[in-house]
């Protein structure tokens, strides 16, 4: 893996962190030590272990199974490589994300929604195995073996900028909604890429306010996938609160349980991270249903 990727990633992180610090919104996070441990551990695990490990494995498998194909697609124009990456990485991640909101895979994605604040710090807040099995990372590793390395660097930097911007506490899209003369630009932006308004809705504590959209807005880089597959909701508003209702009722899980489930399982009452636990993401957004289950 190109070390330049991590240097650029850290640069993007620091830029957004500075913007959040200057905005003062970080004071409202109320993050716990477990929040910080989970977010830091997953960021390090993804950058230092999972992504380079997957790229190493796909490179070795490529050299073993199809040695003649190394850099075989390097002759493709950059625009074609970029388009292939959008399908192989971003579209597959849309479906991986969407499937992770079903009972089967929800425990591997739940950690991303347990944050009760929006910030760049939660961008990679997830279960270890959520990323270990993510199809897009494996597909990207194969494409790098086929000769996409340089274009992938540009692609991933663009994607990470959009994703971090969508999670950021700084609502950079808000001015586009406030000023009428910018509405045409907003119309294009919110239908092309993930923005704070559309992605915050996905993290909303409830859908009852007409803003939250827990069952949709799954896109990462492109929001176009949500439009195509019928999971989009655009309100140009931001939910008042984010997180999970059952955490408010039963208390939050420990950071190592969220990160390493199912290797480590929960001892909390009514947990989706326990043997036989309820793993229904939809029910977790409705306090009446959660209480009924209790």
């Amino acid at each position: 893996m190109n070390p330049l990727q991590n240097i650029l990633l850290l640069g993007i992180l620091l830029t957004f962190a500075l913007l959040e610090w200057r905005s003062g919104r970080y004071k409202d996070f109320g993050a716990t030590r477990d929040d910080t441990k989970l977010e830091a551990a997953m960021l390090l695990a993804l950058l230092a272990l999972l992504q380079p490990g997957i790229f190493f494995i796909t490179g070795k498998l490529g050299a073993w199974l199809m040695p003649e194909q190394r850099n075989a697609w390097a002759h493709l124009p950059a625009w074609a490589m970029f388009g292939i990456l959008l399908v192989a990485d971003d579209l597959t991640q849309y479906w991986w994300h969407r499937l992770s909101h079903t009972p089967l895979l929800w425990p591997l994605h739940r950690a991303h929604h347990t944050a009760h604040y929006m910030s760049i710090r939660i961008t990679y807040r997830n279960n270890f195995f959520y990323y270990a099995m993510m199809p897009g990372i494996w597909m990207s590793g194969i494409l790098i073996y086929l000769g996409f390395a340089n274009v992938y660097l540009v692609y991933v930097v663009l994607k990470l900028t959009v994703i971090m911007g969508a999670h950021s506490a700084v609502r950079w899209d808000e001015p586009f909604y406030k000023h009428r003369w910018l509405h045409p630009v907003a119309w294009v932006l919110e239908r092309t890429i993930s923005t704070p308004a559309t992605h915050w809705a996905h993290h909303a504590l409830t859908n009852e306010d007409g803003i939250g959209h827990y069952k949709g807005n799954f896109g990462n880089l492109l929001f176009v996938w949500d439009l195509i597959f019928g999971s989009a909701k655009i309100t140009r508003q931001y939910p008042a609160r984010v997180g999970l209702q059952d955490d408010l009722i039963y208390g939050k899980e420990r950071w190592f349980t969220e990160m390493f489930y199912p290797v480590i399982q929960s001892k909390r009452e009514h947990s989706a991270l326990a043997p036989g636990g309820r793993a229904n993401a939809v029910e977790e957004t409705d306090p009446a249903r959660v209480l009924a289950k209790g």
Side-chain angles (χ1 to χ4, degrees), residues 87-218:
V87 173
D89 174 68
D90 200 52
L91 177 56
T92 61
Q93 190 172 355
Y94 166 87
W95 282 108
W96 181 244
H97 187 188
R98 187 165 179 169
L99 289 171
S100 296
H101 279 259
T102 63
L104 178 63
L105 294 178
W106 171 246
L108 300 186
H109 181 56
R110 185 183 183 279
H112 189 62
H113 286 266
T114 57
H116 51 275
Y117 47 87
M118 294 300 293
S119 167
I120 57 160
R121 57 184 285 166
I122 76 167
T123 305
Y124 298 109
R125 177 186 176 124
N126 247 308
N127 179 278
F128 182 89
F129 302 103
Y130 176 82
Y131 285 121
M133 298 190 297
M134 184 176 284
I137 302 179
W138 291 90
M139 293 291 289
S140 295
I142 294 170
L143 291 172
I144 288 171
Y145 177 79
L146 293 173
F148 281 44
N150 291 333
V151 172
Y152 178 78
L153 177 62
V154 176
Y155 166 82
V156 78
V157 168
L158 174 62
K159 179 172 181 174
L160 295 178
T161 301
V162 170
I163 293 174
M164 289 185 190
H167 287 91
S168 175
V170 178
R171 303 190 298 215
W172 61 264
D173 56 338
E174 201 165 21
F176 292 94
Y177 312 139
K178 287 184 175 180
H179 304 289
R180 184 175 295 276
W181 65 276
L182 288 175
H183 284 186
V185 179
W187 191 94
V188 174
L189 275 175
E190 65 195 2
R191 285 164 175 78
T192 305
I193 62 173
S194 293
T195 63
T198 55
H199 198 69
W200 282 36
H202 175 71
H203 282 259
L205 185 68
T206 178
N207 292 339
E208 299 303 315
D209 59 3
I211 300 172
H213 190 46
Y214 193 85
K215 301 180 188 179
N217 292 12
F218 298 112

Side-chain angles (χ1 to χ4, degrees), residues 20 27 54 72 75 92 151-152 236 245 280 288:
E20 289 189 356
K27 298 176 183 177
I54 291 171
H75 65 283
T92 61
V151 172
Y152 178 78
R236 298 188 176 182
Q245 295 280 5
N280 191 319

